[in-house]
Amino acid sequence: MEGIYIRALSNVSFLRTSDDTFRKYFPVRRSTIPMEEQRRNTGSLSLVRAKQSKSIYEAALLTHETSDPEALLKVKQWEVEMYQEELAKRDGIRIRRRPPTGPPSNYVGPFEMCLQNEGDTPRNILEEIIWTKHTEVSQLKERRPLHVLKKAIENTPVRDFVGALKNSYLRTGLPALIAEVKKASPSRGVLREDFDPIQIAQAYEKAGAACLSVLTDKKYFQGSFENLEAIRNAGIKCPLLCKEFIVDVWQIYYARTKGADAVLLIAAVLPDLDISYMIKICKMLGLATLVEVHDEREMDRVLQIDGIELIGINNRNLETFEVDTSNTKKLLEGERGEIIRQKDIIVVGESGMFTPDDISYVQATGVKAMEYCDIKCDCKGSGRISSKWIVSFQHQ
Ligand SMILES: O=C(O)c1ccccc1NCC(=O)[C@H](O)[C@H](O)COP(=O)(O)O
């Protein structure tokens, strides 16, 4: 057999099936070390796995017979992904970036019996979305490399997302509205069949929205980057948040090429190191970041990261889809609220705010902006949004 081989090292014998890239460049020969011996050396299967992560790459570099820079870059990427998993564990992140998989199907090795299919079902909807996103992004990246995106955004302007929220809050004394352009969601199904993103965006702007949030995920929210781009090119003045599930810096550049002024970073998905790094990239590109948290643990992690300007508190439990606005209150009480005030961070309320009472409730907890999607957004006639409280919001 031709190609590059990973030789049988004591702790190298298995590759994740999902990692097609790695296998493409490094076809694997089976380990000659019996399973029992590996168990004895390492003490447990998870340890076996952890040790393998690093050493497969090291072995690859030690034993490869190529000078192909592309192959080496792919190995490097693979290594970064493995470290991401370790970092995520350290930060207490339960969402896995991709399914844990067993050995390749054509590989007859000692590991297949015990590691294959271990936990290959997503634990919740967010994990499922992230797994899908991981595959989508790997394919998109191949078609539009980063250097092409960088070229496309040279000298293109961005709008001040944070400034727009602050101004609106100061002007109205009410939480600034980030109005969602969203056709569907896993929790609410299809919100509007005759969905016209530009008309909806215009209606929101007329009704007094400070910023817009445009869903770009296709599979779960029926959104698209085309919608984002179309809204940007339709003369809308409100700054735009690209509402996407970001797992890779490439997506940030892509969002910027499509007209985003801000992006969402989800703490339940991204380790602290990724969040810090992505915030820096965003600053460099002129983009704002909305960092979303669900619970105290995520809030505490995010509060020790430098450069955070906006924190979104999501009141939706992604396991049950239930919303509970008291989550916002809980996360803003005591010392956490104090740190947020000291750092002048704007808190954005997300999910579960449907009535004026909901707004008053979250505002009293310290929220200065909120995300809202009006399912009955009536933009055919008056260009006003049907929910009475939003219309009254416009006239405050
Ligand atoms: O809303 C969902 O069903 C959902 C499921 C999985 C991941 C994220 C999800 N929502 C993303 C959002 O941020 C919501 O669009 C946003 O919180 C507004 O929610 P709502 O006003 O309750 O529609």
Side-chain angles (χ1 to χ4, degrees), residues 184-390:
S185 71
S187 57
R188 293 165 77 179
V190 175
L191 302 173
R192 206 173 149 150
E193 281 295 350
D194 61 333
F195 182 78
D196 180 336
I198 295 178
Q199 275 189 325
I200 291 172
Q202 285 165 340
Y204 279 145
E205 186 163 78
K206 266 191 184 171
C211 297
L212 304 182
S213 161
V214 184
L215 273 291
T216 49
D217 174 80
K218 259 200 179 74
K219 183 166 176 190
Y220 300 91
F221 293 84
Q222 298 192 31
S224 70
F225 278 95
E226 288 74 35
N227 288 354
L228 179 65
E229 195 168 33
I231 292 171
R232 161 55 84 231
N233 293 335
I236 302 284
K237 294 196 178 58
C238 288
L240 307 179
L241 169 73
C242 170
K243 193 81 184 273
E244 182 51 88
F245 296 84
I246 291 187
V247 290
D248 191 308
V249 166
W250 179 90
Q251 292 167 282
I252 298 176
Y253 281 86
Y254 190 53
R256 175 80 165 79
T257 65
K258 297 292 178 183
D261 303 297
V263 295
L264 177 73
L265 303 177
I266 305 177
V269 172
L270 300 167
D272 300 358
L273 212 60
D274 277 355
I275 297 178
S276 302
Y277 176 57
M278 287 177 175
I279 287 176
K280 289 197 177 98
I281 298 284
C282 285
K283 289 225 157 95
M284 204 178 78
L285 297 178
L287 298 173
T289 46
L290 172 60
V291 184
E292 179 180 293
V293 302
H294 293 84
D295 57 26
E296 290 104 322
R297 185 181 178 126
E298 289 172 12
M299 179 65 104
D300 291 341
R301 281 176 45 214
V302 163
L303 285 180
Q304 47 77 35
I305 295 175
D306 283 339
I308 303 262
E309 289 181 292
L310 301 171
I311 295 181
I313 299 181
N314 201 322
N315 297 311
R316 188 184 301 284
N317 177 330
L318 291 176
E319 316 260 338
T320 62
F321 282 155
E322 275 164 22
V323 284
D324 179 3
T325 47
S326 72
N327 191 42
T328 299
K329 184 167 188 284
K330 189 172 70 188
L331 298 196
L332 293 179
E333 269 166 0
E335 205 186 330
R336 294 187 184 97
E338 197 46 52
I339 298 172
I340 285 168
R341 281 186 291 278
Q342 277 166 15
K343 292 192 167 192
D344 198 23
I345 292 170
I346 295 185
V347 176
V348 180
E350 294 174 24
S351 298
M353 281 148 297
F354 302 109
T355 67
D357 285 348
D358 295 332
I359 315 295
S360 307
Y361 176 78
V362 292
Q363 183 176 10
T365 68
V367 159
K368 291 195 175 138
M370 46 164 288
E371 201 169 26
Y372 177 81
C373 175
D374 186 335
I375 51 171
K376 290 191 224 82
C377 171
D378 175 12
C379 32
K380 286 190 186 121
S382 61
R384 286 151 68 103
I385 294 168
S386 59
S387 296
K388 296 221 168 37
W389 69 265
I390 287 205

Side-chain angles (χ1 to χ4, degrees), residues 101-221:
T101 50
S105 50
N106 60 352
Y107 169 63
V108 186
F111 274 69
E112 67 188 351
M113 59 211 223
C114 46
L115 294 178
Q116 204 163 23
N117 299 329
E118 183 193 286
D120 268 359
T121 308
R123 292 188 189 124
N124 59 36
I125 183 68
L126 183 56
E127 191 165 82
E128 184 185 326
I129 296 172
I130 295 304
W131 290 6
T132 308
K133 201 52 70 184
H134 185 74
T135 312
E136 267 177 36
V137 172
S138 339
Q139 290 162 0
L140 279 171
K141 273 168 85 167
E142 301 271 323
R143 294 209 295 272
R144 297 180 185 83
L146 199 58
H147 66 92
V148 175
L149 301 184
K150 283 184 178 168
K151 192 92 197 127
I153 56 181
E154 273 172 18
N155 305 319
T156 57
V158 271
R159 290 175 183 154
D160 182 1
F161 193 90
V162 179
L165 295 180
K166 284 187 174 163
N167 288 343
S168 173
Y169 181 74
L170 285 175
R171 200 178 60 246
T172 65
L174 285 165
L177 179 67
I178 306 173
E180 267 192 327
V181 181
K182 173 166 80 176
K183 177 165 180 180
S185 71
S187 57
R188 293 165 77 179
V190 175
L191 302 173
R192 206 173 149 150
E193 281 295 350
D194 61 333
F195 182 78
D196 180 336
I198 295 178
Q199 275 189 325
I200 291 172
Q202 285 165 340
Y204 279 145
E205 186 163 78
K206 266 191 184 171
C211 297
L212 304 182
S213 161
V214 184
L215 273 291
T216 49
D217 174 80
K218 259 200 179 74
K219 183 166 176 190
Y220 300 91
F221 293 84

